[in-house]
Amino acid sequence: MISLFRSLMCLLLPVALLNAQAPASPKAPGKAKASKSARPVPAASSKGPETAQPKSLLKVNVTAQPYSLHFPWQKESPNNSRGLGVVLEGNRVLVTAQMVADATYIEMELPDTGQKIPAKVVAVDYEANLALIESALPEAMQKSFFAGLRPMGLDTGSRVGDSVSVWQAGRVGDLIETPLNVSKVLIRRYIVEGSSFLVYEATGIIRSEANSFTLPVIKGNKLVGLLLSYDSKNQVTTILPAPIIEHFLKDFADGGYEGFPGLGMEYQVTLDEQLREFLGLKPDAPGVFITGVIKNASAEKAGLKKGDILVSIDGNAIDARGDYRDPVYGALNASHLVRGRAYVGDKFELGVLRDGKPQTLSGTLARKKPEDYLVPPYAFDRGPRYVLMGGLLFQELSKPYLDAFGEQQSENASLLRLGHIAAHPDEIEASGRKKLVFLSMVLPTPSAQGYDRLGGIIVNKVNGHAIGDLNDLDAAFKDVKGAAHAIELDDFPRVLHLDAMAAERDNLRLQGGAYRIPALKRLE
C-alpha cells in the first residue's frame, strides 16, 4: 500500500513544503516544556563498540492486511514481509515503519535458532519511517529469548567518504556484510507525502537475501542507519541515518512521542533573474519566495504570509535554492533546521522581507496531524471512514484514495477535479469544512437506480444540513424531511433524491448480501 503515496513539491521537501503530521500518540503541540533537543540520548546510543555483535540483530516477520480504499468495508489480501530489526536497550527492536504498516501479526525470530515470539508496536512514525517493537509476552516469558542478545548503539557522526556495511543474516544466522561508501548527504522524501528528511547515499553492490525488507547499516559495530532503498542499476543505496533515529528515540524516551515538527509553507526558488528583479532582490541577496502557507501550521501562527521572502531560519541564511550552510554537512536544504534538529515545542525565528522591508517573525514549532488536513496525506492501521445509504457510498477524500487510481487520475475528469482540490485546499478550508465528503460510487440497488454512473462528486448538503465531514452526513440522514433524502452536490446532476423507505430496505439487503458488507458506516 505504501507505493500508493506520492510526494507533492513541498517546503523543506525537495522544493517546498514543511508539513508536520502526527505519528502515534501525539501530545498537544506547542506545549511549554524543556526542549527535547537538550535531553540526553537514550541508553540505546550510549553503548560502545564492544557491545555490538551479530547478536544485536533479530529477524522480524510481519503479516499485514490493509483496507481497500475503494470498497472500504473490505480488506485487501494479506501479505507477508521479513526484515532485520536492531536490538536496543530495554529489549526493544528498531525497524522501519514501512515494515509494520497495517500489520495484523508481528513476530521476532532469533536468527540462529529460529525461536519466535509475538511482538507489538510501541512507537511508530510513518513520516520518519521508524518504529519500535517489543515482545507481546509477559516479561518473565521473554527473558530467555533476549538473554543472548546485546543492544546496539548509534553512530551519528558518519560523513561523506566513510566506509559502512550493510548487515544481513544468513539462513542459519550467519552474518553477511556488504561494504558501502557514503557518497552524499542530502534531503529526500522517505515513504509518505511530507516526509523529506536527512538521508545518506552510499555506493556499492548489495546481494539480496530473503530478509532484505529492512536492513541495518553499520560502522564500527554501531548503527549508522537503516536501508531505505537500493538502486541495483546504479548501485546506489539510500540510508535513513542515525541522526534521525536519535531524534526519534529522544522524543520517545519520556513515553510521550510527539514526532517531527514542521513550518508548513510552500516556496519557490529564486534562481531566475527575472523573478528576482520582479521581487526586488539584489543579485547576491538570499531568500526564497513564499507561495503558500498551510492553515494552522507553525509558520502561519508566527505570521508568515504568501508573498513574503524567507531569508533566514533561526539566524541561518537561506539561499536562492532554499539551502543553508550546515556546519557538518555543508549546503543542505533548510528543512533539516526544523525537521532534523528541532523538536515540537522549540521556539523559532524567521527572517523575512515583506514589501521590501525586513521583519522577524517568532513562533513555537508544532506539527499538523494528518487527520487535521482537509485531505489527509496518508493513513495506516485503520480503515477508511465511509457511510453507505441505499447503495450510495460516501467517503472523505484522501491522497491514498486518489493515488489508488494510479494513471487513471489523468484520464478521469472527476478524479482530476478532486486532485486539484486536494493540491489547493485553501478555498474549501475557508468555507469551514473539516473534510471533503464526496459520492465515491453507487452500488446497484433499486433505490439508487439511474445514479449508477455517478462518482467523484462533492456533497454540499443533505436534507438541508451543510456537510463538513462524514459525521455531519450521518446526522443529516437521520433528519429526513418528507419521504426522500435530498442530497445536494456541487456538480451535475446537482440534486439527488433518494426514497427514504426504499433506501432502508436496500441497506438491509446490502448487509450480508453479495457485497458482504458488515457495516453500513465507519466513523471512528
Side-chain angles (χ1 to χ4, degrees):
M1 294 295 295
I2 294 175
S3 61
L4 301 178
F5 297 90
R6 303 286 186 264
S7 175
L8 290 179
M9 307 294 278
C10 313
L11 170 68
L12 309 180
L13 302 183
V15 267
L17 173 67
L18 260 174
N19 285 341
Q21 299 105 9
S25 304
K27 292 182 179 178
K31 183 180 178 181
K33 60 180 182 181
S35 169
K36 290 193 177 184
S37 60
R39 296 182 182 181
V41 180
S45 62
S46 65
K47 295 291 183 178
E50 71 280 357
T51 66
Q53 304 292 335
K55 289 293 186 179
S56 300
L57 302 183
L58 283 174
K59 291 182 179 180
V60 180
N61 309 311
V62 178
T63 299
Q65 192 174 18
Y67 280 87
S68 169
L69 294 168
H70 297 155
F71 299 94
W73 56 85
Q74 295 181 356
K75 280 194 169 187
E76 303 286 358
S77 299
N79 59 80
N80 300 308
S81 57
R82 168 175 279 198
L84 289 181
V86 180
V87 179
L88 303 179
E89 287 286 349
N91 293 340
R92 285 180 172 150
V93 178
L94 180 73
V95 295
T96 60
Q98 183 179 12
M99 187 171 180
V100 299
D102 299 306
T104 56
Y105 181 73
I106 305 170
E107 67 180 10
M108 298 182 289
E109 176 185 344
L110 294 175
D112 51 354
T113 67
Q115 181 185 352
K116 302 179 181 70
I117 60 172
K120 61 183 179 181
V121 176
V122 293
V124 63
D125 187 329
Y126 288 108
E127 295 172 26
N129 195 17
L130 290 168
L132 281 176
I133 62 175
E134 66 181 16
S135 170
L137 297 176
E139 185 175 351
M141 298 177 65
Q142 60 180 277
K143 187 174 181 180
S144 61
F145 182 87
F146 286 97
L149 298 174
R150 302 179 181 178
M152 180 178 284
L154 296 181
D155 182 336
T156 60
S158 292
R159 305 291 183 264
V160 172
D162 285 357
S163 296
V164 298
S165 296
V166 174
W167 279 14
Q168 299 184 71
R171 185 177 62 87
V172 293
D174 49 312
L175 180 65
I176 300 170
E177 296 187 69
T178 303
L180 299 174
N181 291 308
V182 178
S183 56
K184 291 182 182 178
V185 178
L186 64 160
I187 301 298
R188 180 170 293 179
R189 174 177 174 256
Y190 283 6
I191 60 167
V192 298
E193 182 177 320
S195 64
S196 286
F197 293 91
L198 188 75
V199 298
Y200 300 155
E201 278 193 359
T203 55
I205 301 174
I206 299 178
R207 62 179 279 187
S208 177
E209 293 291 327
N211 49 40
S212 59
F213 193 93
T214 296
L215 297 176
V217 183
I218 309 298
K219 185 182 77 173
N221 288 329
K222 286 190 175 184
L223 184 66
V224 170
L226 298 176
L227 189 145
L228 278 174
S229 64
Y230 174 56
D231 180 353
S232 59
K233 180 179 179 180
N234 298 304
Q235 300 176 12
V236 174
T237 300
T238 303
I239 300 167
L240 194 164
I244 301 301
I245 297 172
E246 180 184 59
H247 189 297
F248 173 74
L249 295 176
K250 277 186 176 183
D251 198 339
F252 183 67
D254 62 359
Y257 187 73
E258 295 177 306
F260 291 76
L263 288 176
M265 58 190 181
E266 300 175 352
Y267 73 80
Q268 181 178 349
V269 300
T270 56
L271 295 171
D272 183 79
E273 293 182 3
Q274 292 181 332
L275 175 62
R276 295 182 68 84
E277 183 178 352
F278 171 77
L279 297 174
L281 285 175
K282 297 179 180 179
D284 58 346
V288 290
F289 181 59
I290 301 302
T291 58
V293 182
I294 293 181
K295 184 178 180 181
N296 294 327
S298 304
E300 186 200 49
K301 292 179 179 179
L304 190 70
K305 297 181 179 180
K306 181 178 178 180
D308 287 344
I309 298 172
L310 177 67
V311 298
S312 68
I313 298 177
D314 290 333
N316 296 276
I318 309 300
D319 67 18
R321 292 181 174 84
D323 294 343
Y324 79 105
R325 198 73 189 173
D326 189 271
V328 175
Y329 303 113
L332 198 64
N333 187 275
S335 63
H336 189 60
L337 290 167
V338 175
R339 305 216 78 187
R341 289 171 49 177
Y343 290 78
V344 168
D346 287 354
K347 302 296 183 181
F348 71 94
E349 287 189 350
L350 303 179
V352 302
L353 289 176
R354 182 175 297 169
D355 299 326
K357 299 178 181 179
Q359 294 190 24
T360 299
L361 308 176
S362 300
T364 301
L365 286 174
R367 70 173 177 283
K368 192 172 181 179
K369 299 181 290 185
E371 57 267 31
D372 289 340
Y373 282 79
L374 178 75
V375 181
Y378 65 89
F380 296 102
D381 307 321
R382 61 183 177 85
R385 285 161 51 93
Y386 71 93
V387 169
L388 188 59
M389 174 58 72
L392 303 184
L393 177 62
F394 301 92
Q395 294 183 256
E396 293 173 345
L397 186 63
S398 68
K399 293 292 181 60
Y401 175 87
L402 291 171
D403 291 339
F405 286 96
E407 295 180 357
Q408 295 181 36
Q409 287 189 62
S410 60
E411 303 168 0
N412 184 293
S414 295
L415 291 176
L416 281 173
R417 184 165 181 266
L418 290 175
H420 177 78
I421 293 172
H424 305 86
D426 297 9
E427 183 176 344
I428 298 289
E429 285 183 321
S431 69
R433 292 184 192 244
K434 300 174 185 176
K435 292 290 183 290
L436 199 63
V437 177
F438 70 107
L439 175 64
S440 63
M441 68 181 299
V442 180
L443 302 179
T445 62
S447 59
Q449 188 174 3
Y451 299 149
D452 53 292
R453 295 190 178 185
L454 297 180
I457 309 174
I458 298 170
V459 179
N460 290 331
K461 291 183 178 182
V462 170
N463 297 330
H465 298 279
I467 304 303
D469 60 14
L470 280 176
N471 296 84
D472 293 340
L473 182 78
D474 182 54
F477 276 130
K478 296 175 182 176
D479 187 29
V480 60
K481 296 175 174 63
H485 297 290
I487 304 167
E488 299 179 36
L489 310 174
D490 78 336
D491 202 355
F492 180 85
R494 297 297 179 183
V495 180
L496 304 182
H497 296 283
L498 194 67
D499 185 282
M501 293 294 292
E504 290 299 328
R505 289 195 295 269
D506 288 338
N507 286 344
L508 293 175
R509 295 190 187 101
L510 288 169
Q511 285 189 284
Y515 290 96
R516 294 177 293 179
I517 300 174
L520 295 173
K521 60 186 175 182
R522 182 188 295 118
L523 298 175
E524 71 277 4

